[in-house]
Each structure stands twice: as structure tokens, then as C-alpha cells.
């Protein structure tokens, strides 16, 4: 028994000797944002926002400095290796918060860079992915007052708005997986700098339509709620409807929850795409006087339902004419009718929207003034 115990102690002493491949944190640079552009000669231009830690003089506290790197290469892999040649420390991408493509790179085509992002083990699939509408260098010139680091800022921006109905939210994992859908079409969030007399700010502004790894269109922010309703991506948000007692004003309904069910029918010639949208709301705000009687509540519900039907149908008709399947009709058709293979099913698809809005009691008030 003693010999067995002694053997176990010796095994622990000699086998568990410490961390494997240990690297001092002061010898590593953590990249918090990776930005990819493609220049006129089709070379990859890589920007990284880096946090470089160092030991401070006050009580041995760890501190850090923000560094911006720019490097070019014929491929993204070469650019990353060239970046290492110009740095005294190893770059580490495990803390990356955002993957941002320039609009120029997205419109030229992202296929040359996506294989490395999908294949490399150090690139994470959790970060959010964006297309920036403008010159990437402007993002670094703009310094947000509430956050020093761009990567952390856009990550916090997404997490703060949560499930806002007018925001498109996609991470790298979702983006890469959607490339294998039949339509190979994705909508990813777009970033833009909002120029303001008080303070310029980075904001989410609609969605970039990526078809076959190339940006082919842009959905403005005013239409992204309709897109999210059709894709069952609305959890929270607002609906604005006309005040039945004061037509010059609006009533704001807060979305407490939403669920979109999809059904599809195909008769060999035409596809009927049925979207059943159930929305639970509460009355959040009223412009001018509003009497909260059952009749007015019913009017608000019907008005909100008609708005959902109207704007979702307008968005669908627009992309049906453009023959761009941003609604994954091909995938739905394959689930219901796996024997049929239609190249671009949106061209023969008719949308049928059934919207149901329920307003719950928001307070003990019976009138709003």
C-alpha cells in the first residue's frame, strides 16, 4: 500500500510539472479588432487594433497601450506573417471582438480571405462580423469617448442593444455556416460613422447583403425590422402606429416577444411562403391624448398588424424583383420538398403574411395625455 502511494506521489511530481507552452503575458500582443480591406491591386490590407500589456511602476500593476497595425500581403495569411515580422511580440487573436470588412473588400468578394478565417485555429467564431461603409482608416481616427478600444466598443454596442428589432446581428460562426446554404446569401450588420455637430459616433446602420461571398446590395435601417420579422429574429423592439384619438400623433408599442412560424407550399409551378408572425406588446408611449378603451386597443392591434403585413411584403417584393433570396426560401423548400431542386426559388415565390399583435396592459392608467 505504501509503495503504491509513493508511486502516485512520484508520478504527480515528475509528470505534472507546470503549464505547457507557457508564455509571459507581457510578451504577447492581444488583437481586439481585425479589419480587412482589399486594395486596387487585389492585395489584402490587414488592420489590427492591439492591446499590448506592460508592467506599470505603481505596485506592480499591469497596464497596457493601444496600438494600430497595418500590413499588406498577397493573401491574408501572408499579411499576418508579415505583421509578425514587424512586431517584437507574438500577436494573439483569441481575444478578438470584431471582424470588420471594408465595403470595397465586400463588393470585390470575400472568398479569398474566408478560407483562412474558417481554417485557422486561433481565429475565434464568437466575434461579431460587420461591413464598414466607408474608409477603414476613418474608424481609427474616430476615438469613442466612452471606450478606448474599437473592438470592445462595437462588441459592447451589439450586446447593449441586445435583441433590438432594427439591428442585424451575426457572428462569425453564423456567417461561415450560412455560406453552405442553397442560396449562399447572408445579411450581416453594417457600420457607419454618424456625423453629428456634437459628436461623431459609430453606429449600426442596416445590413450588407452578401451573395456568393460578394456584397451585392444594402438593406437600410428602415427595412431591417421587416427582414427580422420574416427571419424570426425579433425579440424586443418597438412598433409605431397612428393614434386613433389624435391622428397627428403616434402610439409606441414595446415589443415584449415575437415568434415567426414558417410554412411552405409548392404545386410544381408556384411556391407559397407563409409567415405567421405573433407579436406580444405593451403600450409604451402616446403622443397627445389617447383613451385606452377596448375599441381603441383593438384598433391599435389591427393597425400594427397591417403595418407588419405591408412592410414585410414590400421588402419581399423588392428582393423578389432583384432575384436575391435573403429569406432562405431554398432551405425551407428543401425541408418540405427534398426531391425538388430549384435554382432560385424566390423568383416563383408568393409571400403570405399572417400577423397577430396582442397588447397587454402596461399600467393601471386608462388614459394617456
Amino acid at each position: 500500500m505504501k509503495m503504491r502511494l509513493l508511486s502516485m506521489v512520484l508520478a504527480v511530481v515528475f509528470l505534472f510539472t507546470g503549464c505547457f507552452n507557457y508564455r509571459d503575458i507581457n510578451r504577447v500582443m492581444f488583437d481586439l479588432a481585425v479589419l480587412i480591406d482589399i486594395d486596387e491591386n487585389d492585395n489584402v490590407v490587414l488592420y489590427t487594433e492591439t492591446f499590448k500589456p506592460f508592467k506599470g511602476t505603481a505596485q506592480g500593476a499591469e497596464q497596457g497601450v493601444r496600438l494600430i497595425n497595418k500590413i499588406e500581403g498577397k493573401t491574408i495569411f501572408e499579411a499576418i506573417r508579415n505583421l509578425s515580422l514587424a512586431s517584437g511580440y507574438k500577436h494573439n487573436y483569441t481575444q478578438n471582438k470584431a471582424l470588420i470588412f471594408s465595403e470595397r473588400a465586400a463588393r470585390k468578394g470575400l472568398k479569398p480571405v474566408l478560407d483562412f478565417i474558417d481554417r485557422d485555429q486561433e481565429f475565434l467564431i464568437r466575434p461579431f462580423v460587420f461591413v464598414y461603409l466607408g474608409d477603414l482608416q476613418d474608424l481609427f481616427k474616430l476615438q469613442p469617448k466612452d471606450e478606448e478600444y474599437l473592438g470592445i466598443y462595437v462588441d459592447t454596442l451589439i450586446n447593449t442593444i441586445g435583441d433590438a428589432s432594427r439591428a442585424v446581428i451575426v457572428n462569425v460562426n453564423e456567417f461561415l455556416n450560412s455560406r453552405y446554404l442553397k442560396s449562399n446569401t447572408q445579411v450581416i450588420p453594417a457600420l457607419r460613422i454618424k456625423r453629428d455637430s456634437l459628436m461623431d459616433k459609430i453606429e449600426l446602420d442596416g445590413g450588407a447583403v452578401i451573395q456568393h461571398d460578394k456584397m451585392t446590395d444594402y438593406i437600410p435601417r428602415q427595412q431591417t425590422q421587416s427582414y427580422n420579422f420574416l427571419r424570426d429574429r425579433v425579440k424586443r423592439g418597438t412598433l409605431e402606429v397612428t393614434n386613433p384619438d389624435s391622428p397627428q400623433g403616434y402610439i409606441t408599442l414595446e415589443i415584449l416577444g415575437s415568434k415567426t412560424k414558417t410554412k411552405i407550399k409548392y404545386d410544381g409551378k408556384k411556391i407559397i411562403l407563409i409567415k405567421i408572425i405573433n407579436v406580444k406588446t405593451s403600450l409604451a408611449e402616446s403622443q397627445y391624448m389617447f383613451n385606452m378603451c377596448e375599441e381603441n386597443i383593438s384598433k391599435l392591434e389591427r393597425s400594427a398588424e397591417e403595418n407588419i403585413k405591408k412592410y414585410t411584403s414590400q421588402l419581399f417584393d423588392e428582393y423578389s424583383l432583384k432575384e436575391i433570396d435573403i429569406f432562405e426560401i431554398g432551405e425551407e423548400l428543401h425541408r418540405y420538398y427534398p426531391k425538388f431542386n430549384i435554382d432560385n426559388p424566390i423568383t416563383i415565390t408568393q409571400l403570405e403574411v399572417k400577423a397577430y399583435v396582442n397588447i397587454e396592459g402596461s399600467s393601471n392608467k386608462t388614459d394617456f395625455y
Side-chain angles (χ1 to χ4, degrees):
M1 182 68 180
K2 291 183 179 179
M3 290 298 297
R4 183 180 300 177
L5 180 61
L6 179 61
S7 299
M8 294 176 61
V9 171
L10 291 175
V12 170
V13 171
F14 289 105
L15 296 179
F16 297 91
T17 56
C19 297
F20 172 72
N21 197 21
Y22 169 77
R23 184 182 295 271
D24 194 330
I25 193 172
N26 292 319
R27 307 294 298 178
V28 178
M29 302 177 71
F30 294 98
D31 293 275
L32 302 179
V34 175
L35 299 87
I36 299 174
D37 193 8
I38 297 178
D39 65 16
E40 295 80 3
N41 299 318
D42 291 333
N43 292 319
V44 175
V45 183
L46 181 71
Y47 299 85
T48 64
E49 179 189 51
T50 303
F51 170 78
K52 180 183 179 297
F54 63 88
K55 182 167 290 188
T57 57
Q59 300 179 352
E62 294 290 343
Q63 300 177 9
V65 63
R66 177 182 187 245
L67 300 175
I68 305 299
N69 307 282
K70 177 185 177 183
I71 204 74
E72 298 179 7
K74 293 185 294 294
T75 68
I76 185 173
F77 187 78
E78 182 187 20
I80 287 176
R81 288 296 175 263
N82 290 341
L83 183 62
S84 299
L85 293 175
S87 173
Y89 300 130
K90 175 178 172 54
H91 284 259
N92 184 292
Y93 299 93
T94 60
Q95 303 304 313
N96 182 36
K97 302 295 184 183
L99 178 62
I100 304 175
F101 300 108
S102 71
E103 183 178 2
R104 177 170 57 182
R107 291 196 180 276
K108 280 193 170 188
L110 300 175
K111 192 171 184 178
V113 301
L114 292 180
D115 179 74
F116 176 80
I117 294 170
D118 193 10
R119 190 185 301 272
D120 190 77
Q121 296 181 1
E122 201 169 287
F123 269 82
L124 303 180
I125 59 176
R126 295 192 304 269
F128 297 109
V129 60
F130 307 89
V131 169
Y132 174 68
L133 307 176
D135 187 345
L136 286 181
Q137 295 189 26
D138 292 340
L139 285 175
F140 297 116
K141 296 175 184 177
L142 179 69
Q143 182 63 56
K145 301 298 182 182
D146 44 353
E147 177 54 59
E148 179 181 359
Y149 293 91
L150 171 67
I152 296 177
Y153 178 81
V154 295
D155 179 76
T156 304
L157 181 65
I158 287 283
N159 287 298
T160 300
I161 65 172
D163 299 312
S165 60
R166 290 177 175 84
V168 180
I169 302 175
V170 177
N171 62 28
V172 174
N173 182 49
E174 294 168 330
F175 175 56
L176 294 176
N177 286 339
S178 63
R179 297 176 69 224
Y180 298 99
L181 299 178
K182 290 185 175 296
S183 63
N184 193 1
T185 302
Q186 311 89 28
V187 179
I188 63 176
L191 289 174
R192 192 189 299 271
I193 294 179
K194 181 181 179 181
R195 303 296 180 180
D196 191 274
S197 58
L198 296 177
M199 182 188 301
D200 294 342
K201 298 281 288 185
I202 303 170
E203 65 174 9
L204 292 168
D205 189 14
V209 179
I210 309 294
Q211 186 178 36
H212 301 295
D213 300 329
K214 183 179 294 186
M215 181 176 173
T216 58
D217 205 7
Y218 163 75
I219 302 177
R221 186 192 311 178
Q222 295 80 4
Q223 293 181 295
T224 50
Q225 185 181 64
S226 299
Y227 170 78
N228 286 332
F229 269 127
L230 291 174
R231 294 299 315 280
D232 190 26
R233 293 183 177 179
V234 175
K235 304 302 178 185
R236 307 282 295 187
T238 61
L239 294 170
E240 289 75 36
V241 294
T242 302
N243 187 334
D245 285 341
S246 305
Q248 72 273 25
Y250 289 95
I251 298 287
T252 300
L253 303 179
E254 181 181 8
I255 299 173
L256 305 177
S258 175
K259 180 65 179 177
T260 301
K261 296 181 180 179
T262 301
K263 295 181 180 180
I264 200 165
K265 297 179 181 179
Y266 180 52
D267 60 6
K269 295 182 180 180
K270 182 173 62 176
I271 299 171
I272 304 296
L273 181 65
I274 304 170
K275 294 287 185 176
I276 305 170
I277 304 173
N278 291 281
V279 187
K280 182 170 64 175
T281 69
S282 68
L283 202 154
E285 177 193 11
S286 171
Q287 290 183 334
Y288 307 104
M289 186 180 69
F290 172 68
N291 180 18
M292 276 187 64
C293 61
E294 290 186 10
E295 180 182 358
N296 278 348
I297 293 296
S298 180
K299 288 181 180 179
L300 290 180
E301 291 174 340
R302 301 295 83 78
S303 180
E305 291 167 358
E306 290 302 317
N307 284 347
I308 292 174
K309 293 178 185 178
K310 175 183 176 182
Y311 293 113
T312 53
S313 296
Q314 285 180 355
L315 179 67
F316 184 88
D317 291 342
E318 178 182 339
Y319 279 88
S320 179
L321 290 173
K322 294 177 180 179
E323 300 185 0
I324 302 176
D325 182 10
I326 62 174
F327 310 105
E328 296 185 8
I329 299 172
E331 287 296 310
E332 294 293 341
L333 184 67
H334 182 70
R335 293 190 187 102
Y336 282 82
Y337 304 93
K339 295 182 180 180
F340 293 95
N341 186 17
I342 302 174
D343 290 336
N344 196 359
I346 195 171
T347 59
I348 60 169
T349 300
Q350 177 181 331
L351 177 67
E352 182 179 325
V353 178
K354 299 179 181 179
Y356 303 96
V357 176
N358 175 257
I359 300 177
E360 296 185 347
S362 59
S363 68
N364 296 326
K365 279 190 165 187
T366 58
D367 297 288
F368 278 73
Y369 297 94

